[in-house]
Structures are given as structure tokens and as C-alpha cells.
Amino acid sequence: MLLLAVAFIVAFVLLLYMVSPLISPKTLKLPGAHVVVTGGSSGIGKCIAIECYKQGAFITLIARDENKLLQTKKEIEKYSVNDKQVVLCISVDVSKDYEQVENVLKQAQEKLGPVDMLVNCAGTSVTGKFEDIEVNSFERLMAVNYLGSVYPSRAVIATMKERRMGRIVFVSSQAGQLGLFGYTAYSPTKFALRGLAEALQMEVKPYNIYITVAYPPDTDTPGFAEESKTKPLETKLISETSSVCQAEQVARVIVKDAIQGNFNSSVGSDGYMLSILTSGMSPVTSITEGLQQVVCMGIFRIVGLFYLGSFDSIVRRCMMQREKSESTDKTE
């Protein structure tokens, strides 16, 4: 009886793997495709642009710093696979004026053709305890991290619908799956991208447009280095529980998931576990993916409770040490 049950489960899983490709999106071919990357002058955005360019795509880089854009353009062009490829640079703040964003993307499409894939990578971070963060920082981060993804996406979605094809990527963060000490200004902006992505995916799926939300872990980028300078002790200690990834590795995973039309994109075992735990009512692009979520959810929740317990322990320990230090200072 047990053998029969095992045989049935194995047969069922094999059937799912066979059927799964039939309901999954067709892979987007990057050779000759037009890929727009916001925040593309450094970090993960730059590495995504390089990865797409290596596969034959035409690239539009969007960022604020024109000098950085030109330097990045030269670096990307070293990876050309044919003499027809082009790297177009546009200096604009994608979070301030929608009409300006719409106009520059129209110009980009006039030069390089309709946008096949948009990667929203523009973002910034501020860390600190809730009461220590300047109020205007909450507004600024919501503008850059959220509206800075809304505006470019809004500017290209109509053309994608007309063509019945396209990919839109929102680069969130593991801090957009799990709220952590020190990220009260940053995490909500990255959580917001998930809500936008889920609602938008439901709208555009009939048009063969697929949305990907990427949840990179701590990644070795200039932005991460700058952020680390102001991290509270608790945040630093919690961050030490996971390793820092290389931007090139993260970029390869995001590009792969995006062209395949996967809704979730994560890196490493911790990222996989978080994606399962936070899947909720998010879309799936294969029966296999849904089955993995159903099977692993309970087990990963148990593991996650241990993680949360360790994080709470770190915060309490730091608080006690701080109070002890303050008490000693008062008695001296």
C-alpha cells in the first residue's frame, strides 16, 4: 500500500513537470530586443544591462547622473555580440515628473523600437530607528522606490498591450518580504511594489505581458556600501546572518526569471524560502511552482520562526546593552 502511494505521488509529480511547460509563458528572446533599465548606471541595474547586452539586446539606460551613464555605456559596449547593438543613455529622474518620463521613453522607442522588457531598478535606501529618520525621508523613498517604478511602467504599458507582448521587472528586496529593524522607511516602499505587481499582472496577463518581482538579498553594490555606513547595530547584526551576494550573480538570476515570465525572482536558499513563505495569493507561472509552495509552506514556516526568534533576541540584547551603557554613564 505504501509503495502504491509513493508510486502515485511520483507519477503525479512527473505529470506536473510534463504539463507545466504547456501553461508557462514563452521565453522572451533577447537577441534584438529593446531592454530599458532604470537605475542602470551602477549596481544591480548596470549588471542587468550587461547581462542583456551579452545576449544581444539593445539597451536604454536611464539614471540621473549623466557622467556615470556615459562611463557605464562604455563598459557595457565591451560586451557586444554584434556591430548592430546600441546602448542609449538618458539622464532623467524617473520619480519626479511623469510627463518627462513618458517623453524620454517615447524618444527611446523611436530610436530603438518598442520596449520589450522594462527593468525598474532605480532605488535608494535610508536606515535608522523609526524616530531618528527625518520625516521627509519617508516621502523621498516612496517617491524614488515606488513612483520611480510606476512612472516608467505606465509609460510603456499601452504599447506592450498593443503588441501583445512584454516583460516588466520590479526590483524589490528581501526587505520587501520581511520587515526588519532599521528599515521602517525602506521596507514599505519595497512591499508596495509587490502589491502593484500583483494587481498589474492580473490586468496584463491576457495580453501576454508578464511581471517579475525580484527580491535580491544584501548585494555588493555602491548603494549597499553607502547604506552600511548608517546602519544601526541591530541591523548590522541581523544582516550578518546571511551572506552578501555579488551583483553579477543577482543580475543573471533576475534576467533569467524575467525572460521566462516568472513572477517571483529570488537568489539563494534564504531567498527561495522567503518566496515560498510570502507567496500568499501571488501568481504562479507553472503547476510545479504552485505545488512547491503547497508542500514547503509549513516546513519553511517552522524554520522562519527560528529566524524571527533570533532576530528578536538580537534586538533585545542590543537594547539591554544600550540601557546598561547609559546607566553606567549616568553614575560616573
Side-chain angles (χ1 to χ4, degrees):
M1 191 67 180
L2 180 60
L3 289 175
L4 183 62
V6 172
F8 175 78
I9 293 173
V10 171
F12 180 64
V13 172
L14 288 173
L15 178 63
L16 287 177
Y17 273 101
M18 292 172 62
V19 174
S20 178
L22 300 178
I23 66 169
S24 297
K26 291 183 178 179
T27 301
L28 176 69
K29 305 298 182 183
L30 282 181
H34 181 191
V35 177
V36 174
V37 184
T38 71
S41 62
S42 65
I44 294 174
K46 180 176 79 170
C47 290
I48 287 174
I50 290 173
E51 183 65 26
C52 292
Y53 200 68
K54 285 180 178 179
Q55 297 187 41
F58 290 70
I59 305 295
T60 294
L61 289 177
I62 298 178
R64 290 175 299 176
D65 192 318
E66 189 170 0
N67 290 330
K68 282 186 178 180
L69 278 171
L70 295 175
Q71 292 172 4
T72 302
K73 171 183 168 71
K74 293 177 181 178
E75 186 175 345
I76 293 174
E77 287 174 337
K78 297 176 183 177
Y79 298 94
S80 65
V81 294
N82 62 68
D83 55 7
K84 295 181 180 179
Q85 283 179 275
V86 175
V87 178
L88 177 65
C89 293
I90 299 176
S91 175
V92 66
D93 186 336
V94 293
S95 67
K96 284 192 174 181
D97 184 343
Y98 171 70
E99 290 187 1
Q100 188 179 21
V101 173
E102 185 180 36
N103 287 335
V104 297
L105 280 169
K106 281 182 179 179
Q107 294 171 18
Q109 293 186 90
E110 287 171 0
K111 294 179 180 179
L112 301 183
V115 176
D116 296 291
M117 184 163 79
L118 167 66
V119 183
N120 292 292
C121 203
T124 187
S125 175
V126 171
T127 56
K129 288 187 290 186
F130 182 65
E131 66 272 21
D132 293 337
I133 299 174
E134 295 291 336
V135 172
N136 60 8
S137 293
F138 291 88
E139 299 173 355
R140 181 169 62 88
L141 261 65
M142 187 58 75
V144 175
N145 295 348
Y146 179 68
L147 294 179
S149 293
V150 170
Y151 292 168
S153 302
R154 179 68 173 74
V156 302
I157 200 70
T159 304
M160 286 185 174
K161 280 187 172 183
E162 290 173 3
R163 299 175 66 220
R164 295 292 197 275
M165 65 169 292
R167 298 285 192 273
I168 296 178
V169 181
F170 297 107
V171 178
S172 180
S173 163
Q174 285 188 353
Q177 297 172 294
L178 169 67
L180 294 173
F181 190 107
Y183 287 110
T184 53
Y186 178 71
S187 280
T189 66
K190 293 300 188 177
F191 269 88
L193 291 176
R194 161 77 175 268
L196 170 63
E198 287 191 5
L200 184 57
Q201 179 63 94
M202 194 174 289
E203 287 189 21
V204 301
K205 189 174 181 179
Y207 297 89
N208 193 36
I209 301 168
Y210 288 91
I211 311 298
T212 297
V213 188
Y215 300 104
D218 286 343
T219 306
D220 186 11
T221 64
F224 177 70
E226 192 64 28
E227 171 195 313
S228 297
K229 294 177 182 178
T230 59
K231 278 183 179 178
L233 177 60
E234 292 89 339
T235 309
K236 291 180 179 179
L237 293 174
I238 290 172
S239 297
E240 288 174 0
T241 61
S242 61
S243 58
V244 178
C245 290
Q246 296 300 308
E248 294 82 3
Q249 175 193 2
V250 172
R252 283 194 295 271
V253 173
I254 292 174
V255 171
K256 180 182 177 182
D257 285 328
I259 63 176
Q260 291 178 349
N262 296 333
F263 184 78
N264 286 305
S265 179
S266 60
V267 179
S269 56
D270 285 351
Y272 177 73
M273 182 181 73
L274 274 174
S275 290
I276 295 290
L277 281 173
T278 60
S279 55
M281 289 292 288
S282 64
V284 295
T285 46
S286 72
I287 297 175
T288 306
E289 182 184 6
L291 181 64
Q292 289 173 348
Q293 292 170 356
V294 171
V295 171
C296 297
M297 180 74 76
I299 299 171
F300 285 168
R301 178 56 176 167
I302 294 172
V303 177
L305 290 174
F306 281 100
Y307 271 91
L308 289 173
S310 69
F311 296 161
D312 287 340
S313 177
I314 288 171
V315 174
R316 282 195 302 271
R317 189 168 68 249
C318 288
M319 183 189 70
M320 292 172 64
Q321 289 175 351
R322 190 175 292 110
E323 289 179 344
K324 183 178 179 181
S325 176
E326 291 174 355
S327 178
T328 302
D329 292 341
K330 288 179 181 180
T331 58
E332 289 180 354

